[in-house]
Amino acid sequence: MNPIIRAEILTIGDEILFGQIIDTNTQWIGSELTGIGIRTVRKTSVGDDKKDIIAAFTDAGKRAEVVIVTGGLGPTKDDVTKYAFCEYFGSTLKINEDALTLITAFFAKRGRAMTELNIQQAALPDNCTYVPNQWGTAPGMWFEKDGVVYVSLPGVPYEMKSLMEFEILPRLKQRFVLNVIQHKSVRTIGIGESFLAEKIAAWESALPDHIRLAYLPHFGQVKLRLTGTGDNADVLNTQLLEQVDLVRPIIDEYIFGYDQDELESVIAALLISQQATVGTAESCTGGFVSHRLTSLPGSSAYFQGAVVSYSNELKMNLLGVSGDTLAEHGAVSEQTVKEMAEGARRALGTTYAIATTGIAGPDGGSAEKPVGTVWIACATPTETVTQLLKLANIRSINIEMTSTYALNLLRKAIIKSGQI
Amino acid sequence: MNPIIRAEILTIGDEILFGQIIDTNTQWIGSELTGIGIRTVRKTSVGDDKKDIIAAFTDAGKRAEVVIVTGGLGPTKDDVTKYAFCEYFGSTLKINEDALTLITAFFAKRGRAMTELNIQQAALPDNCTYVPNQWGTAPGMWFEKDGVVYVSLPGVPYEMKSLMEFEILPRLKQRFVLNVIQHKSVRTIGIGESFLAEKIAAWESALPDHIRLAYLPHFGQVKLRLTGTGDNADVLNTQLLEQVDLVRPIIDEYIFGYDQDELESVIAALLISQQATVGTAESCTGGFVSHRLTSLPGSSAYFQGAVVSYSNELKMNLLGVSGDTLAEHGAVSEQTVKEMAEGARRALGTTYAIATTGIAGPDGGSAEKPVGTVWIACATPTETVTQLLKLANIRSINIEMTSTYALNLLRKAIIKSGQI
């Protein structure tokens, strides 16, 4: 193996420290660096303060070969980041003509006026390599000092990602001799992290040193991610697949997919292969299941539509739930969810239909049906299956968990239908 | 003013560095610390490596009075964080009986079996102050060394937040003499960050030193957040309100709310005050507008339901859009969106109805109607207003932006209706 190239990610901005925005950039950057064989060893966020920024440059340069800097470059910033670069790299700010041309074209194309703040975005430290930003107004910058590469990117996620993908990652692959990193993930649903860990403990402790395992839990799912490091992609992939083959029989009933598979994409593939369609009837999830099913490009091939029936009137009028059922069992009941799913299948004209009804909270619970009581159902051409969930007291989590369990119920129903 | 108490936030875990999960914890922690007058000066993430963790403790302790550590404590971790604490604070791990009692009760209440991994979660460094975690299985810990407070919290967001809110923030307020921090935010929609900045430049540069302004853009909205630091909350609040009164006339047409207001909550208040109801008819947003309207507790008071009509059949059958309209103008047209909104108002029996139809992408565009072409409409008792959006090529952003503009169209329609 080659020596491991280490990276640090540095984000700049008071808004990140003071908790005014969620930083999703560094997760993405870390993932991309991992993908090309660069190991992120530290992430740091500092405020819009030149002294703090320079101290962070200095520290990071001692520990890593690559320092990725994002943020601190917006049109309403005081350019403190650029002045920190100038001081650290011994340069002065100067309008970069290529950058100015690109920024001018950016505004012209959109028919928008340029402000003086936008022009100043073309002023760069005179000893950086200018990295053109086709996707926004803040240029990228590439510096080298004492064998360490420093890259500066705007904080706007779309611009940062485009610059990384099309400019920075290719340049890093050229600049360094990198190890090959390969991943393989096994996606599970319906088993908690610690129970999963106990089940696969023997397998896990027998993993070779160059293959590492991570448990990544997320709303009822756990992703088992294997990361292999070596110098031959084919050999690594074979070794990772061997490990997957070993663990599969132990946890087969919980596996719904691999790698980039999501419940939505697995369901999409199943529906397309059956030339089948789906729709939803939602009460407590308020359209969130429908949103998830339509979040994939091309979902119109199998998704027909949804009825969100918050009121009992709409459960009756649009889905045909009987007034007697609602009166006798209530809106949150097995009988109602069953009639919702079957009614949705009729009203939407689909092969399958999912239904949800429950008390998402934080109010509306009773002793008999506390907050978190949720019924879900899936109607198929031959039967309707139902499931009772007992969730927690947090509305957003209940909506998220209900949608995940409902999609999993659908997934299992489609598989079963296909086997008949 | 009292000396500013500085905090650093330290997250532990390879999964954060390698980009396997998004860190939302530190945003929340930064915001809560700001709220009680503690200034976060740096955030750092290191991997599950004892040497790196101890180095980070040491560095943070030199710069800050408070170090909040999260993560590295899950049942499937190798307890590297606890051993790092032991080495740094000179302690040894010992089962804490109070912690064990609470963990045992936690599992008993849920009728779940305890694993050996769960029992070991009660083993704590013997010189920490044990902080009970009522919400999960990993205890909180509080250490003091050389006048610096170190707090260790689990990484599970719900547990971390509960521990912070009920245990750590109250203890920090007792332990330190803190400045008073007050915030006031002005929420705008429909104007870009740099244009907003130019409009309010004179006002911004006249702000007193103890009041700082941040621009926080998010999908078509910009939040202007004023932060005042002082020693009297009433005086600060008055000063902040004076500044809001000064800026309001300059940007009045773009302001939709203040502070914690969201489009959803502003709309909720308007609908409740008019005793009116709303529903949606969604094509390209696939239920996301409905999801946003039902994300608030108590939304059943004004939200009736939604029809997601992905197919033309459902646009006709459930919403009454005419086949001629679809044939002549297509599904993505002003005529169709108008009929969808009016049909939804009838079918759902609501005062107002929003409709969306467009090409979310990445495929399905044409020269005449490229990806990102979206029509939105709002039907009221007296009229139907429509708007054409020209968005980008990214599906998830198009769905998010369309929902925001549709909610804003609804907000303006409700206000106008109330003035008739």
Side-chain angles (χ1 to χ4, degrees):
Chain A
M1 284 209 303
N2 302 305
I4 288 170
I5 301 297
R6 293 159 301 178
E8 298 213 2
I9 306 170
L10 178 61
T11 56
I12 296 172
D14 286 343
E15 67 276 17
I16 293 174
L17 291 179
F18 300 169
Q20 296 168 333
I21 60 166
I22 289 181
D23 160 38
T24 55
N25 281 349
T26 61
Q27 179 264 339
W28 189 88
I29 296 171
S31 174
E32 292 297 308
L33 291 174
T34 303
I36 65 165
I38 292 179
R39 175 170 297 177
T40 303
V41 293
R42 189 183 282 241
K43 298 197 315 191
T44 306
S45 293
V46 295
D48 296 307
D49 180 291
K50 200 171 73 174
K51 198 162 60 65
D52 288 352
I53 296 171
I54 290 172
F57 288 162
T58 311
D59 290 347
K62 286 180 196 154
R63 289 179 300 238
E65 288 77 36
V66 178
V67 182
I68 308 277
V69 184
T70 70
L73 295 176
T76 58
K77 298 277 174 185
D78 285 340
D79 279 336
V80 59
T81 305
K82 281 188 196 168
Y83 288 112
F85 277 125
C86 285
E87 188 166 326
Y88 188 66
F89 296 107
S91 37
T92 45
L93 281 188
K94 209 178 121 187
I95 293 281
N96 181 300
E97 292 304 327
D98 293 338
L100 186 60
T101 304
L102 200 58
I103 294 172
T104 307
F106 182 91
F107 280 91
K109 190 175 162 194
R110 283 157 184 77
R112 283 162 50 191
M114 255 176 104
T115 68
E116 177 57 31
L117 289 172
N118 299 124
I119 293 169
Q120 284 311 313
Q121 294 195 275
L124 304 183
D126 56 4
N127 58 354
C128 80
T129 303
Y130 159 64
V131 182
N133 176 0
Q134 315 272 356
W135 306 272
T137 56
M141 295 173 256
W142 175 292
F143 300 88
E144 299 218 11
K145 179 174 175 166
D146 303 332
V148 179
V149 169
Y150 297 77
V151 174
S152 166
L153 302 169
V156 180
Y158 170 61
E159 297 178 34
M160 180 283 292
K161 288 179 186 178
S162 303
L163 270 165
M164 275 293 281
E165 186 176 345
F166 296 106
E167 299 283 350
I168 305 305
L169 292 173
R171 291 174 197 226
L172 288 173
K173 282 195 266 190
Q174 267 196 332
R175 174 67 179 72
F176 296 100
V177 182
L178 299 170
N179 283 306
V180 174
I181 302 264
Q182 295 290 316
H183 295 289
K184 192 82 200 164
S185 296
V186 178
R187 317 277 322 238
T188 71
I189 187 165
I191 180 170
E193 181 186 356
S194 50
F195 288 90
L196 196 58
E198 291 221 322
K199 271 190 189 294
I200 63 175
W203 169 80
E204 183 179 352
S205 60
L207 284 172
D209 277 351
H210 69 293
I211 297 182
R212 297 175 70 162
L213 175 68
Y215 291 80
L216 308 168
H218 180 71
F219 291 127
Q221 304 183 15
V222 179
K223 182 174 173 176
L224 296 172
R225 178 162 157 167
L226 291 165
T227 302
T229 309
D231 43 32
N232 183 307
D234 291 339
V235 172
L236 273 177
N237 269 325
T238 305
Q239 292 171 336
L240 291 172
L241 286 172
E242 282 168 6
Q243 292 302 332
V244 170
D245 283 341
L246 287 172
V247 80
R248 188 187 292 117
I250 311 171
I251 52 171
D252 201 32
E253 65 189 296
Y254 306 109
I255 297 175
F256 72 86
Y258 301 90
D259 300 328
Q260 301 308 311
D261 287 345
E262 298 288 348
L263 275 175
E264 294 87 333
S265 61
V266 169
I267 288 168
L270 287 168
L271 288 171
I272 288 169
S273 79
Q274 291 187 7
Q275 295 185 290
T277 57
V278 70
T280 70
E282 307 185 42
S283 189
C284 64
T285 45
F288 193 64
V289 183
S290 171
H291 165 60
R292 287 184 63 174
L293 285 168
T294 55
S295 64
L296 290 189
S299 44
S300 58
Y302 51 85
F303 184 78
Q304 293 290 103
V307 170
V308 179
S309 55
Y310 241 50
S311 68
N312 279 352
E313 289 68 34
L314 292 182
K315 289 186 182 73
M316 294 188 282
N317 297 345
L318 292 182
L319 297 171
V321 175
S322 97
D324 289 349
T325 301
L326 288 166
E328 196 175 332
H329 303 284
V332 180
S333 64
E334 183 169 22
Q335 290 80 357
T336 296
V337 82
K338 195 163 174 289
E339 291 185 27
M340 285 173 69
E342 291 166 0
R345 223 183 131 250
R346 276 193 308 275
L348 304 170
T350 54
T351 323
Y352 302 97
I354 320 175
T356 66
T357 180
I359 301 148
D363 306 313
S366 65
E368 196 199 345
K369 294 176 184 174
V371 168
T373 304
V374 176
W375 278 98
I376 59 177
C378 181
T380 80
T382 52
E383 64 173 346
T384 301
V385 288
T386 61
Q387 187 181 344
L388 172 64
L389 309 177
K390 294 179 177 182
L391 303 174
N393 195 25
I394 303 170
R395 186 176 183 86
S396 59
I397 293 181
N398 288 347
I399 293 172
E400 182 85 43
M401 293 287 273
T402 300
S403 71
T404 292
Y405 285 119
L407 291 176
N408 197 39
L409 196 68
L410 170 65
R411 180 185 69 88
K412 290 194 282 191
I414 304 174
I415 292 171
K416 191 175 163 197
S417 251
Q419 289 164 341
I420 291 171
Chain B
M1 285 210 302
N2 303 306
I4 288 169
I5 301 297
R6 293 158 301 179
E8 297 212 4
I9 305 171
L10 179 61
T11 56
I12 296 172
D14 287 342
E15 67 276 17
I16 293 174
L17 291 180
F18 300 169
Q20 296 168 333
I21 60 167
I22 289 180
D23 160 37
T24 56
N25 281 348
T26 60
Q27 179 265 340
W28 188 89
I29 295 170
S31 175
E32 292 297 308
L33 291 174
T34 303
I36 66 167
I38 292 179
R39 176 171 296 178
T40 303
V41 293
R42 190 183 282 241
K43 298 197 316 192
T44 305
S45 295
V46 295
D48 297 306
D49 179 292
K50 202 171 73 172
K51 197 163 60 66
D52 287 352
I53 296 172
I54 290 172
F57 287 162
T58 311
D59 290 346
K62 286 179 195 153
R63 290 179 299 238
E65 289 77 38
V66 177
V67 181
I68 308 277
V69 184
T70 70
L73 295 176
T76 57
K77 297 278 175 186
D78 286 340
D79 279 335
V80 59
T81 306
K82 281 188 196 169
Y83 289 112
F85 276 125
C86 285
E87 188 167 324
Y88 188 65
F89 295 108
S91 38
T92 45
L93 281 188
K94 210 178 119 185
I95 292 281
N96 181 299
E97 291 303 327
D98 293 338
L100 187 59
T101 304
L102 199 59
I103 293 173
T104 309
F106 182 91
F107 279 91
K109 192 175 161 194
R110 283 157 183 79
R112 283 163 48 192
M114 253 174 105
T115 69
E116 176 59 30
L117 288 172
N118 298 126
I119 293 169
Q120 284 311 315
Q121 294 195 275
L124 304 182
D126 57 3
N127 58 354
C128 81
T129 302
Y130 159 64
V131 182
N133 176 0
Q134 314 273 355
W135 307 271
T137 55
M141 296 174 255
W142 175 291
F143 300 88
E144 299 218 12
K145 179 174 176 165
D146 303 332
V148 178
V149 169
Y150 298 77
V151 174
S152 166
L153 301 169
V156 180
Y158 170 60
E159 298 178 33
M160 180 283 292
K161 287 179 186 178
S162 302
L163 269 164
M164 275 293 282
E165 185 176 346
F166 295 107
E167 299 283 350
I168 305 305
L169 293 173
R171 291 175 198 225
L172 288 173
K173 282 194 265 190
Q174 267 195 332
R175 173 68 180 70
F176 296 100
V177 182
L178 300 171
N179 284 307
V180 174
I181 302 266
Q182 295 290 316
H183 296 290
K184 193 82 200 163
S185 295
V186 178
R187 317 277 321 241
T188 71
I189 187 165
I191 179 171
E193 181 185 356
S194 50
F195 288 90
L196 196 58
E198 290 222 322
K199 271 191 188 294
I200 63 176
W203 168 80
E204 182 179 352
S205 60
L207 284 172
D209 277 351
H210 69 293
I211 296 182
R212 298 174 69 161
L213 175 69
Y215 291 79
L216 308 168
H218 181 71
F219 290 126
Q221 303 182 15
V222 179
K223 182 173 171 176
L224 296 172
R225 178 162 157 167
L226 291 165
T227 302
T229 308
D231 44 33
N232 184 306
D234 291 340
V235 171
L236 273 177
N237 269 326
T238 305
Q239 292 171 336
L240 291 172
L241 286 172
E242 282 168 6
Q243 291 302 333
V244 170
D245 283 341
L246 288 173
V247 80
R248 186 186 293 117
I250 311 171
I251 52 171
D252 201 32
E253 64 189 297
Y254 305 108
I255 298 176
F256 71 87
Y258 301 90
D259 301 327
Q260 301 309 310
D261 287 345
E262 299 287 349
L263 275 175
E264 293 89 331
S265 62
V266 170
I267 288 168
L270 287 168
L271 289 170
I272 289 168
S273 79
Q274 290 188 8
Q275 295 186 288
T277 57
V278 70
T280 70
E282 306 185 43
S283 189
C284 64
T285 46
F288 194 64
V289 183
S290 172
H291 166 60
R292 286 184 63 173
L293 286 167
T294 56
S295 63
L296 289 188
S299 45
S300 56
Y302 51 85
F303 184 79
Q304 294 291 103
V307 170
V308 179
S309 55
Y310 241 49
S311 67
N312 279 352
E313 288 69 34
L314 292 181
K315 289 187 182 74
M316 294 188 281
N317 297 345
L318 293 181
L319 297 170
V321 175
S322 96
D324 289 348
T325 301
L326 288 167
E328 196 176 331
H329 303 283
V332 179
S333 64
E334 182 169 24
Q335 290 81 356
T336 296
V337 82
K338 194 164 176 287
E339 291 184 28
M340 284 174 69
E342 291 166 1
R345 228 187 126 246
R346 276 194 310 274
L348 304 170
T350 55
T351 324
Y352 302 97
I354 319 175
T356 65
T357 181
I359 302 149
D363 306 312
S366 65
E368 196 200 345
K369 295 177 184 175
V371 168
T373 303
V374 176
W375 277 98
I376 58 177
C378 180
T380 78
T382 53
E383 64 174 345
T384 301
V385 287
T386 61
Q387 189 181 342
L388 172 64
L389 309 177
K390 294 178 178 183
L391 304 174
N393 195 23
I394 304 170
R395 186 176 182 86
S396 59
I397 293 181
N398 288 349
I399 293 172
E400 182 86 41
M401 294 287 274
T402 300
S403 72
T404 292
Y405 285 119
L407 291 176
N408 197 41
L409 195 68
L410 170 66
R411 181 185 70 87
K412 290 194 281 190
I414 304 174
I415 292 171
K416 190 176 164 197
S417 250
Q419 289 163 344
I420 291 170

